[in-house]
PDB file of all heavy atoms in Angstrom:
ATOM      1  N   GLU Q 456      53.700 108.656 108.687  1.00  0.00           N
ATOM      2  CA  GLU Q 456      52.599 107.759 108.336  1.00  0.00           C
ATOM      3  C   GLU Q 456      51.430 108.538 107.739  1.00  0.00           C
ATOM      4  O   GLU Q 456      50.898 108.176 106.684  1.00  0.00           O
ATOM      5  CB  GLU Q 456      52.141 106.993 109.582  1.00  0.00           C
ATOM      6  CG  GLU Q 456      50.843 106.217 109.421  1.00  0.00           C
ATOM      7  CD  GLU Q 456      51.018 104.837 108.812  1.00  0.00           C
ATOM      8  OE1 GLU Q 456      52.156 104.484 108.459  1.00  0.00           O
ATOM      9  OE2 GLU Q 456      50.004 104.124 108.686  1.00  0.00           O
ATOM     10  N   SER Q 457      51.023 109.613 108.397  1.00  0.00           N
ATOM     11  CA  SER Q 457      49.886 110.386 107.894  1.00  0.00           C
ATOM     12  C   SER Q 457      50.232 111.063 106.573  1.00  0.00           C
ATOM     13  O   SER Q 457      49.380 111.154 105.679  1.00  0.00           O
ATOM     14  CB  SER Q 457      49.472 111.441 108.917  1.00  0.00           C
ATOM     15  OG  SER Q 457      49.017 110.821 110.097  1.00  0.00           O
ATOM     16  N   ARG Q 458      51.471 111.517 106.446  1.00  0.00           N
ATOM     17  CA  ARG Q 458      51.874 112.134 105.170  1.00  0.00           C
ATOM     18  C   ARG Q 458      51.927 111.088 104.066  1.00  0.00           C
ATOM     19  O   ARG Q 458      51.549 111.349 102.924  1.00  0.00           O
ATOM     20  CB  ARG Q 458      53.222 112.836 105.323  1.00  0.00           C
ATOM     21  CG  ARG Q 458      53.126 114.146 106.086  1.00  0.00           C
ATOM     22  CD  ARG Q 458      54.458 114.868 106.114  1.00  0.00           C
ATOM     23  NE  ARG Q 458      55.389 114.298 107.062  1.00  0.00           N
ATOM     24  CZ  ARG Q 458      56.475 113.617 106.745  1.00  0.00           C
ATOM     25  NH1 ARG Q 458      56.781 113.398 105.466  1.00  0.00           N
ATOM     26  NH2 ARG Q 458      57.271 113.146 107.676  1.00  0.00           N
ATOM     27  N   GLY Q 459      52.392 109.900 104.424  1.00  0.00           N
ATOM     28  CA  GLY Q 459      52.457 108.836 103.416  1.00  0.00           C
ATOM     29  C   GLY Q 459      51.078 108.445 102.916  1.00  0.00           C
ATOM     30  O   GLY Q 459      50.881 108.191 101.730  1.00  0.00           O
ATOM     31  N   ARG Q 460      50.127 108.405 103.829  1.00  0.00           N
ATOM     32  CA  ARG Q 460      48.783 107.951 103.449  1.00  0.00           C
ATOM     33  C   ARG Q 460      48.073 108.935 102.528  1.00  0.00           C
ATOM     34  O   ARG Q 460      47.161 108.554 101.787  1.00  0.00           O
ATOM     35  CB  ARG Q 460      47.940 107.713 104.703  1.00  0.00           C
ATOM     36  CG  ARG Q 460      48.398 106.486 105.452  1.00  0.00           C
ATOM     37  CD  ARG Q 460      47.705 106.319 106.772  1.00  0.00           C
ATOM     38  NE  ARG Q 460      46.396 105.718 106.626  1.00  0.00           N
ATOM     39  CZ  ARG Q 460      45.800 105.020 107.592  1.00  0.00           C
ATOM     40  NH1 ARG Q 460      46.406 104.848 108.755  1.00  0.00           N
ATOM     41  NH2 ARG Q 460      44.618 104.505 107.416  1.00  0.00           N
ATOM     42  N   VAL Q 461      48.490 110.191 102.547  1.00  0.00           N
ATOM     43  CA  VAL Q 461      47.800 111.163 101.700  1.00  0.00           C
ATOM     44  C   VAL Q 461      48.048 110.872 100.217  1.00  0.00           C
ATOM     45  O   VAL Q 461      47.256 111.261  99.355  1.00  0.00           O
ATOM     46  CB  VAL Q 461      48.232 112.598 102.089  1.00  0.00           C
ATOM     47  CG1 VAL Q 461      49.548 112.977 101.426  1.00  0.00           C
ATOM     48  CG2 VAL Q 461      47.152 113.595 101.744  1.00  0.00           C
ATOM     49  N   HIS Q 462      49.106 110.144  99.923  1.00  0.00           N
ATOM     50  CA  HIS Q 462      49.380 109.775  98.526  1.00  0.00           C
ATOM     51  C   HIS Q 462      48.384 108.740  98.005  1.00  0.00           C
ATOM     52  O   HIS Q 462      48.340 108.491  96.814  1.00  0.00           O
ATOM     53  CB  HIS Q 462      50.800 109.228  98.395  1.00  0.00           C
ATOM     54  CG  HIS Q 462      51.854 110.278  98.580  1.00  0.00           C
ATOM     55  ND1 HIS Q 462      52.412 110.970  97.531  1.00  0.00           N
ATOM     56  CD2 HIS Q 462      52.443 110.767  99.699  1.00  0.00           C
ATOM     57  CE1 HIS Q 462      53.308 111.831  97.993  1.00  0.00           C
ATOM     58  NE2 HIS Q 462      53.342 111.729  99.313  1.00  0.00           N
ATOM     59  N   HIS Q 463      47.609 108.118  98.896  1.00  0.00           N
ATOM     60  CA  HIS Q 463      46.689 107.054  98.479  1.00  0.00           C
ATOM     61  C   HIS Q 463      45.303 107.591  98.130  1.00  0.00           C
ATOM     62  O   HIS Q 463      44.429 106.824  97.744  1.00  0.00           O
ATOM     63  CB  HIS Q 463      46.525 106.021  99.603  1.00  0.00           C
ATOM     64  CG  HIS Q 463      47.816 105.506 100.166  1.00  0.00           C
ATOM     65  ND1 HIS Q 463      47.889 104.710 101.278  1.00  0.00           N
ATOM     66  CD2 HIS Q 463      49.106 105.679  99.760  1.00  0.00           C
ATOM     67  CE1 HIS Q 463      49.145 104.420 101.545  1.00  0.00           C
ATOM     68  NE2 HIS Q 463      49.899 105.001 100.641  1.00  0.00           N
ATOM     69  N   VAL Q 464      45.107 108.877  98.314  1.00  0.00           N
ATOM     70  CA  VAL Q 464      43.759 109.429  98.140  1.00  0.00           C
ATOM     71  C   VAL Q 464      43.340 109.377  96.673  1.00  0.00           C
ATOM     72  O   VAL Q 464      44.087 109.817  95.785  1.00  0.00           O
ATOM     73  CB  VAL Q 464      43.711 110.886  98.645  1.00  0.00           C
ATOM     74  CG1 VAL Q 464      42.371 111.545  98.280  1.00  0.00           C
ATOM     75  CG2 VAL Q 464      43.947 110.930 100.140  1.00  0.00           C
ATOM     76  N   TYR Q 465      42.144 108.836  96.438  1.00  0.00           N
ATOM     77  CA  TYR Q 465      41.593 108.772  95.089  1.00  0.00           C
ATOM     78  C   TYR Q 465      40.339 109.627  95.042  1.00  0.00           C
ATOM     79  O   TYR Q 465      39.357 109.353  95.726  1.00  0.00           O
ATOM     80  CB  TYR Q 465      41.248 107.317  94.741  1.00  0.00           C
ATOM     81  CG  TYR Q 465      40.819 107.135  93.303  1.00  0.00           C
ATOM     82  CD1 TYR Q 465      41.770 106.949  92.301  1.00  0.00           C
ATOM     83  CD2 TYR Q 465      39.469 107.150  92.959  1.00  0.00           C
ATOM     84  CE1 TYR Q 465      41.378 106.783  90.978  1.00  0.00           C
ATOM     85  CE2 TYR Q 465      39.076 106.988  91.633  1.00  0.00           C
ATOM     86  CZ  TYR Q 465      40.029 106.808  90.645  1.00  0.00           C
ATOM     87  OH  TYR Q 465      39.643 106.649  89.340  1.00  0.00           O
ATOM     88  N   GLU Q 466      40.388 110.673  94.268  1.00  0.00           N
ATOM     89  CA  GLU Q 466      39.203 111.512  94.070  1.00  0.00           C
ATOM     90  C   GLU Q 466      39.349 112.231  92.739  1.00  0.00           C
ATOM     91  O   GLU Q 466      40.441 112.295  92.180  1.00  0.00           O
ATOM     92  CB  GLU Q 466      39.025 112.509  95.229  1.00  0.00           C
ATOM     93  CG  GLU Q 466      40.181 113.454  95.421  1.00  0.00           C
ATOM     94  CD  GLU Q 466      40.013 114.334  96.657  1.00  0.00           C
ATOM     95  OE1 GLU Q 466      39.127 114.053  97.480  1.00  0.00           O
ATOM     96  OE2 GLU Q 466      40.779 115.293  96.778  1.00  0.00           O
ATOM     97  N   HIS Q 467      38.265 112.755  92.256  1.00  0.00           N
ATOM     98  CA  HIS Q 467      38.268 113.380  90.926  1.00  0.00           C
ATOM     99  C   HIS Q 467      38.834 112.407  89.888  1.00  0.00           C
ATOM    100  O   HIS Q 467      39.579 112.799  88.984  1.00  0.00           O
ATOM    101  CB  HIS Q 467      39.059 114.689  90.921  1.00  0.00           C
ATOM    102  CG  HIS Q 467      38.677 115.641  92.017  1.00  0.00           C
ATOM    103  ND1 HIS Q 467      37.372 116.023  92.243  1.00  0.00           N
ATOM    104  CD2 HIS Q 467      39.415 116.253  92.976  1.00  0.00           C
ATOM    105  CE1 HIS Q 467      37.327 116.842  93.280  1.00  0.00           C
ATOM    106  NE2 HIS Q 467      38.550 116.990  93.750  1.00  0.00           N
ATOM    107  N   ASP Q 468      38.527 111.137  90.070  1.00  0.00           N
ATOM    108  CA  ASP Q 468      38.891 110.101  89.097  1.00  0.00           C
ATOM    109  C   ASP Q 468      40.393 109.879  88.957  1.00  0.00           C
ATOM    110  O   ASP Q 468      40.875 109.456  87.908  1.00  0.00           O
ATOM    111  CB  ASP Q 468      38.296 110.428  87.703  1.00  0.00           C
ATOM    112  CG  ASP Q 468      36.788 110.549  87.750  1.00  0.00           C
ATOM    113  OD1 ASP Q 468      36.174 109.842  88.570  1.00  0.00           O
ATOM    114  OD2 ASP Q 468      36.239 111.357  86.987  1.00  0.00           O
ATOM    115  N   GLU Q 469      41.138 110.165  89.994  1.00  0.00           N
ATOM    116  CA  GLU Q 469      42.576 109.912  89.909  1.00  0.00           C
ATOM    117  C   GLU Q 469      43.191 109.914  91.317  1.00  0.00           C
ATOM    118  O   GLU Q 469      42.564 110.348  92.285  1.00  0.00           O
ATOM    119  CB  GLU Q 469      43.263 110.990  89.075  1.00  0.00           C
ATOM    120  CG  GLU Q 469      43.182 112.394  89.691  1.00  0.00           C
ATOM    121  CD  GLU Q 469      44.072 113.398  88.980  1.00  0.00           C
ATOM    122  OE1 GLU Q 469      45.305 113.250  89.061  1.00  0.00           O
ATOM    123  OE2 GLU Q 469      43.531 114.319  88.335  1.00  0.00           O
ATOM    124  N   TYR Q 470      44.416 109.394  91.403  1.00  0.00           N
ATOM    125  CA  TYR Q 470      45.185 109.531  92.641  1.00  0.00           C
ATOM    126  C   TYR Q 470      45.761 110.948  92.646  1.00  0.00           C
ATOM    127  O   TYR Q 470      46.823 111.216  92.088  1.00  0.00           O
ATOM    128  CB  TYR Q 470      46.293 108.480  92.698  1.00  0.00           C
ATOM    129  CG  TYR Q 470      45.751 107.088  92.918  1.00  0.00           C
ATOM    130  CD1 TYR Q 470      45.668 106.174  91.878  1.00  0.00           C
ATOM    131  CD2 TYR Q 470      45.295 106.689  94.171  1.00  0.00           C
ATOM    132  CE1 TYR Q 470      45.142 104.899  92.078  1.00  0.00           C
ATOM    133  CE2 TYR Q 470      44.764 105.425  94.383  1.00  0.00           C
ATOM    134  CZ  TYR Q 470      44.689 104.535  93.328  1.00  0.00           C
ATOM    135  OH  TYR Q 470      44.162 103.286  93.529  1.00  0.00           O
ATOM    136  N   VAL Q 471      45.034 111.837  93.283  1.00  0.00           N
ATOM    137  CA  VAL Q 471      45.330 113.269  93.142  1.00  0.00           C
ATOM    138  C   VAL Q 471      46.666 113.656  93.751  1.00  0.00           C
ATOM    139  O   VAL Q 471      47.260 114.662  93.368  1.00  0.00           O
ATOM    140  CB  VAL Q 471      44.219 114.140  93.771  1.00  0.00           C
ATOM    141  CG1 VAL Q 471      43.001 114.165  92.901  1.00  0.00           C
ATOM    142  CG2 VAL Q 471      43.892 113.672  95.190  1.00  0.00           C
ATOM    143  N   ASN Q 472      47.125 112.871  94.717  1.00  0.00           N
ATOM    144  CA  ASN Q 472      48.364 113.239  95.428  1.00  0.00           C
ATOM    145  C   ASN Q 472      49.507 112.286  95.095  1.00  0.00           C
ATOM    146  O   ASN Q 472      50.376 112.063  95.929  1.00  0.00           O
ATOM    147  CB  ASN Q 472      48.113 113.232  96.941  1.00  0.00           C
ATOM    148  CG  ASN Q 472      46.949 114.119  97.326  1.00  0.00           C
ATOM    149  OD1 ASN Q 472      46.726 115.157  96.722  1.00  0.00           O
ATOM    150  ND2 ASN Q 472      46.192 113.696  98.329  1.00  0.00           N
ATOM    151  N   ARG Q 473      49.482 111.731  93.888  1.00  0.00           N
ATOM    152  CA  ARG Q 473      50.522 110.755  93.542  1.00  0.00           C
ATOM    153  C   ARG Q 473      51.902 111.353  93.786  1.00  0.00           C
ATOM    154  O   ARG Q 473      52.776 110.722  94.331  1.00  0.00           O
ATOM    155  CB  ARG Q 473      50.344 110.336  92.089  1.00  0.00           C
ATOM    156  CG  ARG Q 473      50.940 109.013  91.776  1.00  0.00           C
ATOM    157  CD  ARG Q 473      50.328 108.386  90.545  1.00  0.00           C
ATOM    158  NE  ARG Q 473      50.527 109.147  89.333  1.00  0.00           N
ATOM    159  CZ  ARG Q 473      49.528 109.693  88.613  1.00  0.00           C
ATOM    160  NH1 ARG Q 473      48.281 109.548  88.993  1.00  0.00           N
ATOM    161  NH2 ARG Q 473      49.787 110.366  87.509  1.00  0.00           N
ATOM    162  N   LEU Q 474      52.083 112.566  93.348  1.00  0.00           N
ATOM    163  CA  LEU Q 474      53.275 113.325  93.729  1.00  0.00           C
ATOM    164  C   LEU Q 474      52.828 114.501  94.578  1.00  0.00           C
ATOM    165  O   LEU Q 474      51.785 115.098  94.317  1.00  0.00           O
ATOM    166  CB  LEU Q 474      54.006 113.882  92.506  1.00  0.00           C
ATOM    167  CG  LEU Q 474      54.896 112.971  91.683  1.00  0.00           C
ATOM    168  CD1 LEU Q 474      55.583 113.788  90.584  1.00  0.00           C
ATOM    169  CD2 LEU Q 474      55.950 112.288  92.548  1.00  0.00           C
ATOM    170  N   MET Q 475      53.614 114.803  95.606  1.00  0.00           N
ATOM    171  CA  MET Q 475      53.392 116.032  96.368  1.00  0.00           C
ATOM    172  C   MET Q 475      54.640 116.901  96.201  1.00  0.00           C
ATOM    173  O   MET Q 475      55.763 116.392  96.098  1.00  0.00           O
ATOM    174  CB  MET Q 475      53.145 115.730  97.846  1.00  0.00           C
ATOM    175  CG  MET Q 475      51.850 114.963  98.133  1.00  0.00           C
ATOM    176  SD  MET Q 475      50.332 115.869  97.736  1.00  0.00           S
ATOM    177  CE  MET Q 475      50.335 117.159  98.987  1.00  0.00           C
ATOM    178  N   PHE Q 476      54.421 118.212  96.185  1.00  0.00           N
ATOM    179  CA  PHE Q 476      55.523 119.143  95.988  1.00  0.00           C
ATOM    180  C   PHE Q 476      55.750 119.914  97.279  1.00  0.00           C
ATOM    181  O   PHE Q 476      54.884 120.660  97.726  1.00  0.00           O
ATOM    182  CB  PHE Q 476      55.213 120.108  94.839  1.00  0.00           C
ATOM    183  CG  PHE Q 476      54.844 119.388  93.567  1.00  0.00           C
ATOM    184  CD1 PHE Q 476      53.508 119.210  93.217  1.00  0.00           C
ATOM    185  CD2 PHE Q 476      55.819 118.847  92.750  1.00  0.00           C
ATOM    186  CE1 PHE Q 476      53.156 118.525  92.067  1.00  0.00           C
ATOM    187  CE2 PHE Q 476      55.482 118.159  91.594  1.00  0.00           C
ATOM    188  CZ  PHE Q 476      54.148 117.998  91.244  1.00  0.00           C
ATOM    189  N   MET Q 477      56.916 119.680  97.874  1.00  0.00           N
ATOM    190  CA  MET Q 477      57.293 120.423  99.076  1.00  0.00           C
ATOM    191  C   MET Q 477      57.881 121.757  98.615  1.00  0.00           C
ATOM    192  O   MET Q 477      58.906 121.789  97.943  1.00  0.00           O
ATOM    193  CB  MET Q 477      58.330 119.602  99.846  1.00  0.00           C
ATOM    194  CG  MET Q 477      59.005 120.315 100.986  1.00  0.00           C
ATOM    195  SD  MET Q 477      60.373 119.289 101.618  1.00  0.00           S
ATOM    196  CE  MET Q 477      61.212 120.524 102.626  1.00  0.00           C
ATOM    197  N   VAL Q 478      57.200 122.854  98.953  1.00  0.00           N
ATOM    198  CA  VAL Q 478      57.577 124.180  98.465  1.00  0.00           C
ATOM    199  C   VAL Q 478      58.059 125.024  99.643  1.00  0.00           C
ATOM    200  O   VAL Q 478      57.394 125.077 100.685  1.00  0.00           O
ATOM    201  CB  VAL Q 478      56.374 124.871  97.781  1.00  0.00           C
ATOM    202  CG1 VAL Q 478      56.748 126.277  97.330  1.00  0.00           C
ATOM    203  CG2 VAL Q 478      55.877 124.037  96.595  1.00  0.00           C
ATOM    204  N   TYR Q 479      59.232 125.655  99.484  1.00  0.00           N
ATOM    205  CA  TYR Q 479      59.749 126.507 100.557  1.00  0.00           C
ATOM    206  C   TYR Q 479      60.490 127.683  99.963  1.00  0.00           C
ATOM    207  O   TYR Q 479      60.777 127.727  98.764  1.00  0.00           O
ATOM    208  CB  TYR Q 479      60.625 125.705 101.519  1.00  0.00           C
ATOM    209  CG  TYR Q 479      61.791 124.968 100.890  1.00  0.00           C
ATOM    210  CD1 TYR Q 479      63.064 125.511 100.887  1.00  0.00           C
ATOM    211  CD2 TYR Q 479      61.611 123.707 100.326  1.00  0.00           C
ATOM    212  CE1 TYR Q 479      64.140 124.828 100.334  1.00  0.00           C
ATOM    213  CE2 TYR Q 479      62.673 123.021  99.764  1.00  0.00           C
ATOM    214  CZ  TYR Q 479      63.943 123.586  99.766  1.00  0.00           C
ATOM    215  OH  TYR Q 479      64.992 122.903  99.208  1.00  0.00           O
ATOM    216  N   ASP Q 480      60.804 128.633 100.838  1.00  0.00           N
ATOM    217  CA  ASP Q 480      61.424 129.868 100.349  1.00  0.00           C
ATOM    218  C   ASP Q 480      62.889 129.954 100.788  1.00  0.00           C
ATOM    219  O   ASP Q 480      63.428 129.042 101.423  1.00  0.00           O
ATOM    220  CB  ASP Q 480      60.608 131.083 100.807  1.00  0.00           C
ATOM    221  CG  ASP Q 480      60.600 131.259 102.331  1.00  0.00           C
ATOM    222  OD1 ASP Q 480      61.249 130.447 103.033  1.00  0.00           O
ATOM    223  OD2 ASP Q 480      59.928 132.190 102.816  1.00  0.00           O
TER     224      ASP Q 480
END
Side-chain angles (χ1 to χ4, degrees):
Chain Q
E456 169 85 357
S457 296
R458 285 185 283 109
R460 289 173 81 154
V461 83
H462 290 266
H463 309 172
V464 172
Y465 187 85
E466 60 185 12
H467 310 308
D468 302 328
E469 64 170 293
Y470 289 103
V471 285
N472 305 325
R473 203 158 62 243
L474 281 184
M475 294 295 291
F476 306 98
M477 170 189 166
V478 177
Y479 56 97
D480 65 1

